[in-house]
Amino acid sequence: MLKVYNTLSKEKEEFHPQIEGLVKMYVCGVTVYDFCHIGHARAYVVFDVIRRYLRYKGYKVTYVQNFTDVDDKIIKRAAEKGILPLDLSKAMIAEYFTDMERLNIALADSYPKVSEHMEQIISFIEELIAKGYAYVVKGDVYFEVRKFKEYGRLSKRNIEDMQAGVRIEVNQDKRDSLDFSLWKSAKLNEENVSWDSPWGKGRPGWHIECSAMSKEYLGETFDIHGGGHDLIFPHHENEIAQSEALSRNPMAKYWVHNGFVKTNKEKMSKSLGNYFTVRDVLKDNEPMALRLLFLMTHYRAPINYSIEEIKETKVAYDKICKALNIKHVAESTVPEMKIAAYRQQFQDAMDDDFNTAKAVALVFNIVHALNKSQDKKLSDLLQEFVAVLGITTQVSEQVIPEEVETLAKERLEAKNSKNWALSDELREKINDCGYQIEDRKDGYTLKKI
RNA sequence: GGAGACGUCGCCAAGUGGUAAGGCCGUGGUCUGCAAAACCGCUAUCGACAGUUCGAAUCUGUCCGUCUCCUCCA
């Protein structure tokens, strides 16, 4: 029985999708004004694994992830670069896909963008106004938080507490400082990112896009709504307010939030400037090492990222690959019972709120058993689990430079003629080239250090 | 100030009542011409204190330490 931790109840709940056999999930995507950092990468790896596991369990999964391509920061960054905001976001979306593909994150079923859903967003806002949940002031539209009685249910805070801690500048136009924007009127120099609306030219506030687009693609109620921990408040709280004010139905059954990636024990974020981009990290690290690094920690716990950490994980990753590269000479002797037991353990781990850390531990147990037995069934099983975790094992671009290959061949000759001195000398040279040679019965293997 | 999370081997990290998974590192050995890889071993009583219990890393309380949200943020 799969159990999922629901932020809404703060408990692990048995997972039952609305429609038997079909899981509808919506994951908040990135605001595309810059390259993704590894905090983003973690979020999408997490939800990618959740999706893969649900499929493994036999569910059909509809996965929707948006792109926020209309936003203050995009406008600002584009202005700095002297390009159009939508050109910037378009370029960054392409970069997003480049990064995620390297991490083996499967494509979503759809990637709705704000700029392409103005109609839905505008009519959503109109309905909110009609029902008395929103009001218009000078071309801006605000959601009136106090009208939605359940406000604060997700983030577990009450309106009065929030009032006390308000530090944001008071906006005179709002009826209440907690009210948030549904529609922002166009300011000077924003012609390029403005759309016509009943309230004049402008653009949507941040939260409304997810309410409007999730409804469009998944309906009023869907199963899993995911995102980073930092989205719980205000983003998801506000989404709930908007969506449920209209539909009077739960927006999502399960609210799932992943923990942060930190550096030096601080949250990694664009505003703090303490982040590593996916690109930079993958420049000299194996993508699957990063993926494995994420999966070795439970998705809700924070991860403190460091260079040392990923280097260590690379060693662990290589271990998995090596085990899978074993040539199976022996007949399989592992009983089906044993295989079934492993499979059960794997599912028990994943059923427990997607405990990938536990699942990965099992993977290493199998690696160990496989190294000992060289059993085909174990190899297949390992392959099966690794696929659910989305870890690919064909090592990327293992092109051995010709000179290294030549040195290795010379060394093999020296070795065969028992010229140990020359053999060791050549091994040194190979090391200097950044490769390591491992002897095998039938020759050798070369590995990039 | 309000809300919440965490503190497990040198490092990373599972485990939420029955006696400590896994990875990295280190280390002894087997194998090897020597290495590497692999294999066989070794390495923790769970932040502190008090309590509940036959029994606690796991529950309660206090304290110490770290972090997050309350503002854009995966």
Side-chain angles (χ1 to χ4, degrees), chain A residues 151 155 157 180 206-207 230-239:
Chain A
Y151 195 77
S155 54
R157 47 189 100 201
F180 57 88
W206 176 36
H207 318 291
D230 48 357
L231 296 183
I232 296 172
F233 190 90
H235 188 52
H236 288 166
E237 195 70 72
N238 291 352
E239 285 182 30

Side-chain angles (χ1 to χ4, degrees), chain A residues 234-254:
Chain A
H235 188 52
H236 288 166
E237 195 70 72
N238 291 352
E239 285 182 30
I240 289 175
Q242 295 161 345
S243 292
E244 300 187 8
L246 271 199
S247 74
R248 301 313 319 174
N249 283 317
M251 183 183 190
K253 265 186 106 172
Y254 306 92

Side-chain angles (χ1 to χ4, degrees), chain A residues 92-107:
Chain A
M92 286 306 141
I93 286 171
E95 303 294 356
Y96 168 90
F97 283 118
T98 303
D99 289 339
M100 296 305 139
E101 188 184 355
R102 295 192 67 194
L103 289 167
N104 196 30
I105 289 164
L107 289 175

Side-chain angles (χ1 to χ4, degrees), chain A residues 84 134 152 181 274 290 438:
Chain A
L84 293 173
S181 293
N274 62 345
L290 182 60
E438 290 173 16

Side-chain angles (χ1 to χ4, degrees), chain A residues 163-276:
Chain A
Q163 288 274 272
V166 158
R167 281 188 277 145
I168 41 178
E169 77 281 13
V170 180
N171 178 335
Q172 303 297 344
D173 294 334
K174 290 190 197 174
R175 291 184 190 164
D176 191 299
S177 58
L178 291 170
D179 294 352
F180 57 88
S181 293
L182 295 171
W183 188 264
K184 297 171 160 183
S185 56
K187 298 185 189 64
L188 280 177
N189 304 319
E190 288 184 359
E191 301 78 23
N192 297 319
V193 272
S194 298
W195 285 261
D196 288 321
S197 83
W199 321 286
K201 285 233 172 213
R203 61 197 153 91
W206 176 36
H207 318 291
I208 193 68
E209 62 182 81
C210 291
S211 286
M213 299 193 297
S214 65
K215 183 182 174 189
E216 171 82 9
Y217 288 84
L218 299 173
E220 274 184 3
T221 301
F222 48 97
D223 300 297
I224 294 176
H225 192 139
H229 195 255
D230 48 357
L231 296 183
I232 296 172
F233 190 90
H235 188 52
H236 288 166
E237 195 70 72
N238 291 352
E239 285 182 30
I240 289 175
Q242 295 161 345
S243 292
E244 300 187 8
L246 271 199
S247 74
R248 301 313 319 174
N249 283 317
M251 183 183 190
K253 265 186 106 172
Y254 306 92
W255 291 82
V256 178
H257 297 97
N258 65 278
F260 296 132
V261 175
K262 306 196 287 182
T263 9
N264 294 323
K265 302 202 167 179
E266 259 186 343
K267 176 185 169 187
M268 185 180 292
S269 76
K270 289 184 181 175
S271 39
L272 285 173
N274 62 345
Y275 61 91
F276 294 88

